[in-house]
């Protein structure tokens, strides 16, 4: 998989479906390499979850879900297959220990949050399975 595939997927598919509160949560976890942000599984124990799960717990369609939130958000909201998502595949290898990926995700989240400053909170694309 080309190096930029996860970052391109994150910017073009994940971010448009992420809420502002979800992005802020994810950014905080990424910046501090927080142990609540895991890899190799969608959840371990509440409140431990992967990238998708933390975004899902802050999304109006999936916030009520527990262990299945990340998978449901990826599949039904973002329209991705979790098994083939380049972000998930790369993240599952090393998670927060992949400094290059973590740095790129932090920058993408910061850029997106800066872009959203003048927009109302949580303007989202329609979910993939709602059409």
């Amino acid at each position: 998989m080309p190096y930029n595939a996860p970052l391109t997927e994150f910017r073009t598919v994940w971010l448009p479906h992420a809420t502002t509160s979800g992005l802020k949560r994810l950014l905080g976890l990424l910046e501090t390499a927080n142990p609540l942000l895991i890899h190799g599984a969608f959840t371990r124990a509440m409140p431990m979850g992967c990238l998708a799960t933390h975004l899902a717990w802050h999304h109006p369609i999936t916030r009520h879900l527990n262990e299945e939130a990340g998978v449901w958000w990826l599949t039904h909201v973002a329209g991705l297959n979790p098994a083939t998502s380049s972000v998930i595949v790369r993240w599952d290898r090393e998670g927060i220990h992949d400094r290059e990926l973590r740095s790129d995700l932090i920058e993408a989240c910061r850029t997106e949050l800066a872009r959203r400053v003048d927009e109302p909170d949580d303007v989202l694309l329609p979910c993939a399975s709602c059409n």
Side-chain angles (χ1 to χ4, degrees), residues 43-93:
T43 56
R44 281 205 189 112
M46 301 294 280
M48 298 174 81
C50 75
L51 301 166
T53 302
H54 282 283
L55 290 176
W57 286 336
H58 288 85
H59 194 281
I61 294 173
T62 51
R63 70 172 44 120
H64 68 285
L65 301 172
N66 293 319
E67 292 85 14
E68 67 278 4
V71 172
W72 213 96
W73 183 86
L74 277 173
T75 338
H76 298 286
V77 176
L80 291 170
N81 179 342
T84 59
S85 163
S86 60
V87 175
I88 293 295
V89 170
R90 173 100 183 253
W91 183 257
D92 277 352
R93 283 192 224 138

Side-chain angles (χ1 to χ4, degrees), residues 108-125:
C109 288
R110 286 178 180 160
T111 300
E112 179 65 13
L113 286 169
R115 187 191 68 73
R116 291 183 185 191
V117 166
D118 295 328
E119 291 183 2
D121 282 350
D122 298 338
V123 175
L124 302 169
L125 290 176

Side-chain angles (χ1 to χ4, degrees), residues 13-36:
V13 182
W14 289 54
L15 293 181
H17 295 286
T19 63
T20 300
S21 61
L23 282 177
K24 288 177 181 176
R25 171 69 173 165
L26 186 57
L27 179 59
L29 294 170
L30 286 166
E31 287 175 332
T32 60
N34 193 302
L36 293 177

